[in-house]
Structure formats: C-alpha cells, structure tokens
Amino acid sequence: MSRKSEHFRRASWTLVDQAVVSLGNFLVNILIARQLPPGEYGAFALLMGGLFTLQIVNSSLIFYPMSVRMAVSNGDDEKALLGASTRIFFLFLIPLCVLLTASLFAFHLGAIAPSVVAYLILWQLKEGTRRALLARFRIKEAIVGDAVSYLGQSAVIFGFVLAGSLNLQNAFWGMAAMSGLAVLIQARQLRVSLSAPSQVRLVLTDFWSIGGWALANNLISYWRFYIFFGMLGVGWGAAAAASFQALLNVLNLANPVIQGLGNIIPQTAARARADGDGTEWSTARTYMLLGVPPIFLYYAVAFIASEFLLRVFYGAASPYVELSLALRILAVAFVANYGVEMICSFLHGIDAPRLALAINIIGLGVALVAAFPLTSMFGLAGACVALVVANVARLAASLYIVARATGNEPLRQS
C-alpha cells in the first residue's frame, strides 16, 4: 500500500469514528435544547463547559503525551506505558472530582452532584482508552466503543424524552451509564493491566515535559470560547448563553472532520519526525487538505441558509430560529478556526506546543479586548463578531509560523 493510500485509509476511518462521536454529542444537545427551557439548557451548557475544562487536564497531561509516546513504542514498552498512564489517570482523578463536587455545591447544584461526578469519571476513562486505541491506529476498534457511548447516550436521552422524565440529573446518569459500558469494551480491546511493572514517576515526568505546555495551550484555547458564555450569562442571562450554545450545535456538525483529523495528525507527525526524513509538514498537510472540501461546503451552507438550518435543528416555533444573523457571523469565525486547529495539531505532534500556545495566547488576548465592548453593546451578535476577530488573528499567527517552517527554517522551540 502506498503512503498516500495509507494516509487516505487512516483519515477515512478516523472521520467515520469522529462522525459517530459528533453525531452522538449533537443529538444529545439537540434533544436537550428542544425539551428544556432556555434557562435550564443554558445551565446544562455552562455545566458541560466546566466539565470540559476539567477534561483538559487529563487530555493535556495524560492522553496527549500517551498518544505521542505510544505512536513510536511497541511490545512491552507499550504495555508498561499504558499501565503507568492508567495509574496516573486515577491519581489525577481524585482532586478533579473533589473540585467538581465543591463547585456544584457552591452553585446550589448539590442534588445532581453524584450523577455529574459519575459521568466525569466514566467519560474520562472512556476517553483514555479511546486515545490509546487511536494512538496505535486501531481506529476501527475504537468505533465500537464510541458508538456504544455516544450514540447510546443519545438513545438514552431520547428514551427519557419519550417517558417525559428528562431532566439534568437523569441526563447525566444516562450518559454515565453508556460511558461505563464503552469503558468495559475498550479496556478489553486494550487488555489494560495494572499489575504489570511500570515506572510511574519517570512516565509522569516525561508526560509533564510534553503536556505541561499543552495544558496551558488547551486551557487558553478553550477559555477563548468559554469567556463568551461567561460574558453572555452575566450580562444577558442564561438564555443568551443557551443561544450561543444553540449556534455552536449547528456549526459543530462539522466536528467529525476537525476533531477526526486533529486526532490523527499529532501521532502521524510524531511518527514522521521519528523517521527523520523531514516529511512532518508534508504529511500533516495531506490530512489538512482532505478536510477542506467538506468543511468549507458545510460552513457555506450555514452562511447562506442559516434560517433554514435553525428551523431544521430546533423547529419553526423555537426562539433560536431568530438567530440567523449571528449564525452567519459565527460561520465566518469557524472557517478561520479550521486552519488554526490543523496547524496547532501539527505543532503538538512535533513537540512544539509552545508555538501553539503562542498562537492561542494571541487569540485569547484579542478575544478579551474585543469581547467586552462588543458583547456589552450588541449581545450575542457582538460575541460572534469578537470571535471572528480573534480567529482571524490566530490564523494570521499560524500562517506566519508555517511560512517560517516551510521557508527552510527549522521549526524549533526557543
């Protein structure tokens, strides 16, 4: 099989896998948005945002370094790495659960704390086993667990809708149950063993050297979005935050392409770098270009037929149908975001997270400067304009870094 054929095969299965994940998440969000009033859906969106913030710790300090190292390891080394990663995961999970529980009680959500904490634990276990499969390019096997987890969650939520018992607590219990079932499947596929000897301290040190910068980068990248939820929630109420999430739901339908390629580019670039043939960028660019046609086609449809999409997603009587202008603005922001995310995935794969961090610091700085006046004056539409400005700034910084890298200057961290 030629190298291009291999790239295409991997990319195809990765997109299928991510399509399963994104479809499940999409259906869960749409069902909850349709059934709960905007205020409650806004609370769900804010709560999920907090969970994703906690997830960034595991993703940056465990899952990402594990993916990079497993991409170039074999045999006993791979088993020892997986065993050490599992131990580190449980070590990190304790303070994260304590922090989550304290936060829920602080915001008078203690009644749903058991279901939310259970979901966090099982969701993170599921993500860890999934990343291990993807790191070894066992993508077809990962699809099984992802289908059980994410499509299963949407089926459970739909069951609650039919029974007339959908609320936040039941939603989180249902999502936790399907995540737990997927963990059992993927742990069996990996044959995870905690009894195998592993040098946890050495692995943790190595993971920190790789993931410390990635943690800062991912937190900044995420908060570049989450500040808009905060500003809209404080300034315009939970319904405004719900409206922002409703728009994201529509555009996130393209996530299978972005996240799928983002899952395969880092380890592919890492493997090309280990080969020492200087093909890191050309290999990563091959995957990036594969995603351009579907991404730009969907965002063009979102821009041109925004009101139609909102009606399809939420129904003709939904208050979200009136957000067509904001959706058009946000579609422009997402076009710029695609190129940035692909370049940052490449930078992570070649152990250059500080360069990705610099790109996202620029984006966060511009977002903070633009978001406050625009959101204060124009609400949701202003927040969307501020996100366009921030993403254009990130894209300019990304292209500058790539131009230096491809202009025969070695891409090094200072």
PDB file of all heavy atoms in Angstrom, residues 319-334:
ATOM      1  N   PRO A 319     -37.313  29.770  19.686  1.00  0.00           N
ATOM      2  CA  PRO A 319     -36.747  31.132  19.705  1.00  0.00           C
ATOM      3  C   PRO A 319     -35.380  31.204  19.027  1.00  0.00           C
ATOM      4  O   PRO A 319     -34.937  32.280  18.646  1.00  0.00           O
ATOM      5  CB  PRO A 319     -36.632  31.437  21.209  1.00  0.00           C
ATOM      6  CG  PRO A 319     -36.598  30.096  21.879  1.00  0.00           C
ATOM      7  CD  PRO A 319     -37.467  29.210  21.037  1.00  0.00           C
ATOM      8  N   TYR A 320     -34.728  30.061  18.836  1.00  0.00           N
ATOM      9  CA  TYR A 320     -33.410  30.053  18.215  1.00  0.00           C
ATOM     10  C   TYR A 320     -33.465  30.328  16.708  1.00  0.00           C
ATOM     11  O   TYR A 320     -32.440  30.638  16.099  1.00  0.00           O
ATOM     12  CB  TYR A 320     -32.717  28.713  18.452  1.00  0.00           C
ATOM     13  CG  TYR A 320     -32.560  28.356  19.912  1.00  0.00           C
ATOM     14  CD1 TYR A 320     -32.913  27.088  20.373  1.00  0.00           C
ATOM     15  CD2 TYR A 320     -32.082  29.283  20.833  1.00  0.00           C
ATOM     16  CE1 TYR A 320     -32.782  26.752  21.716  1.00  0.00           C
ATOM     17  CE2 TYR A 320     -31.952  28.959  22.180  1.00  0.00           C
ATOM     18  CZ  TYR A 320     -32.312  27.692  22.612  1.00  0.00           C
ATOM     19  OH  TYR A 320     -32.179  27.370  23.944  1.00  0.00           O
ATOM     20  N   VAL A 321     -34.665  30.223  16.102  1.00  0.00           N
ATOM     21  CA  VAL A 321     -34.796  30.472  14.658  1.00  0.00           C
ATOM     22  C   VAL A 321     -34.441  31.920  14.317  1.00  0.00           C
ATOM     23  O   VAL A 321     -34.018  32.210  13.194  1.00  0.00           O
ATOM     24  CB  VAL A 321     -36.229  30.128  14.197  1.00  0.00           C
ATOM     25  CG1 VAL A 321     -36.452  30.522  12.743  1.00  0.00           C
ATOM     26  CG2 VAL A 321     -36.482  28.639  14.364  1.00  0.00           C
ATOM     27  N   GLU A 322     -34.580  32.818  15.270  1.00  0.00           N
ATOM     28  CA  GLU A 322     -34.314  34.235  15.017  1.00  0.00           C
ATOM     29  C   GLU A 322     -32.826  34.583  15.056  1.00  0.00           C
ATOM     30  O   GLU A 322     -32.461  35.758  14.945  1.00  0.00           O
ATOM     31  CB  GLU A 322     -35.050  35.080  16.064  1.00  0.00           C
ATOM     32  CG  GLU A 322     -36.567  34.869  16.052  1.00  0.00           C
ATOM     33  CD  GLU A 322     -37.258  35.653  17.156  1.00  0.00           C
ATOM     34  OE1 GLU A 322     -36.557  36.357  17.918  1.00  0.00           O
ATOM     35  OE2 GLU A 322     -38.496  35.563  17.260  1.00  0.00           O
ATOM     36  N   LEU A 323     -31.956  33.593  15.187  1.00  0.00           N
ATOM     37  CA  LEU A 323     -30.523  33.853  15.345  1.00  0.00           C
ATOM     38  C   LEU A 323     -29.741  33.706  14.044  1.00  0.00           C
ATOM     39  O   LEU A 323     -28.541  33.447  14.064  1.00  0.00           O
ATOM     40  CB  LEU A 323     -29.945  32.883  16.394  1.00  0.00           C
ATOM     41  CG  LEU A 323     -30.620  32.876  17.760  1.00  0.00           C
ATOM     42  CD1 LEU A 323     -29.983  31.821  18.665  1.00  0.00           C
ATOM     43  CD2 LEU A 323     -30.549  34.245  18.415  1.00  0.00           C
ATOM     44  N   SER A 324     -30.398  33.872  12.898  1.00  0.00           N
ATOM     45  CA  SER A 324     -29.746  33.603  11.617  1.00  0.00           C
ATOM     46  C   SER A 324     -28.560  34.534  11.366  1.00  0.00           C
ATOM     47  O   SER A 324     -27.526  34.107  10.838  1.00  0.00           O
ATOM     48  CB  SER A 324     -30.749  33.705  10.467  1.00  0.00           C
ATOM     49  OG  SER A 324     -31.355  34.979  10.443  1.00  0.00           O
ATOM     50  N   LEU A 325     -28.665  35.812  11.728  1.00  0.00           N
ATOM     51  CA  LEU A 325     -27.551  36.734  11.520  1.00  0.00           C
ATOM     52  C   LEU A 325     -26.336  36.316  12.342  1.00  0.00           C
ATOM     53  O   LEU A 325     -25.200  36.280  11.838  1.00  0.00           O
ATOM     54  CB  LEU A 325     -27.962  38.165  11.885  1.00  0.00           C
ATOM     55  CG  LEU A 325     -26.833  39.214  11.855  1.00  0.00           C
ATOM     56  CD1 LEU A 325     -26.230  39.322  10.451  1.00  0.00           C
ATOM     57  CD2 LEU A 325     -27.338  40.573  12.331  1.00  0.00           C
ATOM     58  N   ALA A 326     -26.565  35.982  13.603  1.00  0.00           N
ATOM     59  CA  ALA A 326     -25.457  35.554  14.453  1.00  0.00           C
ATOM     60  C   ALA A 326     -24.823  34.268  13.922  1.00  0.00           C
ATOM     61  O   ALA A 326     -23.598  34.091  13.993  1.00  0.00           O
ATOM     62  CB  ALA A 326     -25.958  35.343  15.886  1.00  0.00           C
ATOM     63  N   LEU A 327     -25.629  33.367  13.361  1.00  0.00           N
ATOM     64  CA  LEU A 327     -25.084  32.123  12.806  1.00  0.00           C
ATOM     65  C   LEU A 327     -24.182  32.418  11.611  1.00  0.00           C
ATOM     66  O   LEU A 327     -23.137  31.787  11.448  1.00  0.00           O
ATOM     67  CB  LEU A 327     -26.218  31.183  12.398  1.00  0.00           C
ATOM     68  CG  LEU A 327     -25.784  29.826  11.830  1.00  0.00           C
ATOM     69  CD1 LEU A 327     -24.946  29.050  12.842  1.00  0.00           C
ATOM     70  CD2 LEU A 327     -27.004  28.998  11.409  1.00  0.00           C
ATOM     71  N   ARG A 328     -24.573  33.350  10.765  1.00  0.00           N
ATOM     72  CA  ARG A 328     -23.736  33.713   9.616  1.00  0.00           C
ATOM     73  C   ARG A 328     -22.380  34.259  10.088  1.00  0.00           C
ATOM     74  O   ARG A 328     -21.327  33.909   9.528  1.00  0.00           O
ATOM     75  CB  ARG A 328     -24.431  34.754   8.756  1.00  0.00           C
ATOM     76  CG  ARG A 328     -25.651  34.246   8.010  1.00  0.00           C
ATOM     77  CD  ARG A 328     -26.123  35.261   6.974  1.00  0.00           C
ATOM     78  NE  ARG A 328     -27.306  34.797   6.290  1.00  0.00           N
ATOM     79  CZ  ARG A 328     -28.539  35.164   6.592  1.00  0.00           C
ATOM     80  NH1 ARG A 328     -28.736  36.037   7.599  1.00  0.00           N
ATOM     81  NH2 ARG A 328     -29.568  34.699   5.926  1.00  0.00           N
ATOM     82  N   ILE A 329     -22.415  35.110  11.085  1.00  0.00           N
ATOM     83  CA  ILE A 329     -21.166  35.680  11.598  1.00  0.00           C
ATOM     84  C   ILE A 329     -20.282  34.580  12.175  1.00  0.00           C
ATOM     85  O   ILE A 329     -19.068  34.522  11.914  1.00  0.00           O
ATOM     86  CB  ILE A 329     -21.462  36.752  12.670  1.00  0.00           C
ATOM     87  CG1 ILE A 329     -22.277  37.901  12.081  1.00  0.00           C
ATOM     88  CG2 ILE A 329     -20.158  37.282  13.276  1.00  0.00           C
ATOM     89  CD1 ILE A 329     -22.806  38.868  13.121  1.00  0.00           C
ATOM     90  N   LEU A 330     -20.889  33.682  12.938  1.00  0.00           N
ATOM     91  CA  LEU A 330     -20.125  32.621  13.578  1.00  0.00           C
ATOM     92  C   LEU A 330     -19.552  31.647  12.548  1.00  0.00           C
ATOM     93  O   LEU A 330     -18.463  31.077  12.765  1.00  0.00           O
ATOM     94  CB  LEU A 330     -21.023  31.876  14.566  1.00  0.00           C
ATOM     95  CG  LEU A 330     -20.320  31.174  15.740  1.00  0.00           C
ATOM     96  CD1 LEU A 330     -19.507  32.164  16.552  1.00  0.00           C
ATOM     97  CD2 LEU A 330     -21.343  30.483  16.625  1.00  0.00           C
ATOM     98  N   ALA A 331     -20.238  31.454  11.423  1.00  0.00           N
ATOM     99  CA  ALA A 331     -19.720  30.579  10.372  1.00  0.00           C
ATOM    100  C   ALA A 331     -18.395  31.113   9.826  1.00  0.00           C
ATOM    101  O   ALA A 331     -17.475  30.338   9.521  1.00  0.00           O
ATOM    102  CB  ALA A 331     -20.745  30.450   9.243  1.00  0.00           C
ATOM    103  N   VAL A 332     -18.282  32.428   9.707  1.00  0.00           N
ATOM    104  CA  VAL A 332     -17.024  33.032   9.254  1.00  0.00           C
ATOM    105  C   VAL A 332     -15.910  32.746  10.258  1.00  0.00           C
ATOM    106  O   VAL A 332     -14.777  32.428   9.886  1.00  0.00           O
ATOM    107  CB  VAL A 332     -17.203  34.552   9.053  1.00  0.00           C
ATOM    108  CG1 VAL A 332     -15.876  35.213   8.689  1.00  0.00           C
ATOM    109  CG2 VAL A 332     -18.251  34.825   7.972  1.00  0.00           C
ATOM    110  N   ALA A 333     -16.235  32.853  11.549  1.00  0.00           N
ATOM    111  CA  ALA A 333     -15.236  32.568  12.587  1.00  0.00           C
ATOM    112  C   ALA A 333     -14.755  31.123  12.504  1.00  0.00           C
ATOM    113  O   ALA A 333     -13.571  30.833  12.693  1.00  0.00           O
ATOM    114  CB  ALA A 333     -15.833  32.850  13.966  1.00  0.00           C
ATOM    115  N   PHE A 334     -15.661  30.203  12.200  1.00  0.00           N
ATOM    116  CA  PHE A 334     -15.297  28.788  12.149  1.00  0.00           C
ATOM    117  C   PHE A 334     -14.462  28.452  10.919  1.00  0.00           C
ATOM    118  O   PHE A 334     -13.655  27.519  10.956  1.00  0.00           O
ATOM    119  CB  PHE A 334     -16.562  27.920  12.203  1.00  0.00           C
ATOM    120  CG  PHE A 334     -16.989  27.589  13.602  1.00  0.00           C
ATOM    121  CD1 PHE A 334     -17.251  28.593  14.521  1.00  0.00           C
ATOM    122  CD2 PHE A 334     -17.144  26.280  14.011  1.00  0.00           C
ATOM    123  CE1 PHE A 334     -17.646  28.297  15.820  1.00  0.00           C
ATOM    124  CE2 PHE A 334     -17.533  25.960  15.300  1.00  0.00           C
ATOM    125  CZ  PHE A 334     -17.781  26.975  16.204  1.00  0.00           C
TER     126      PHE A 334
END
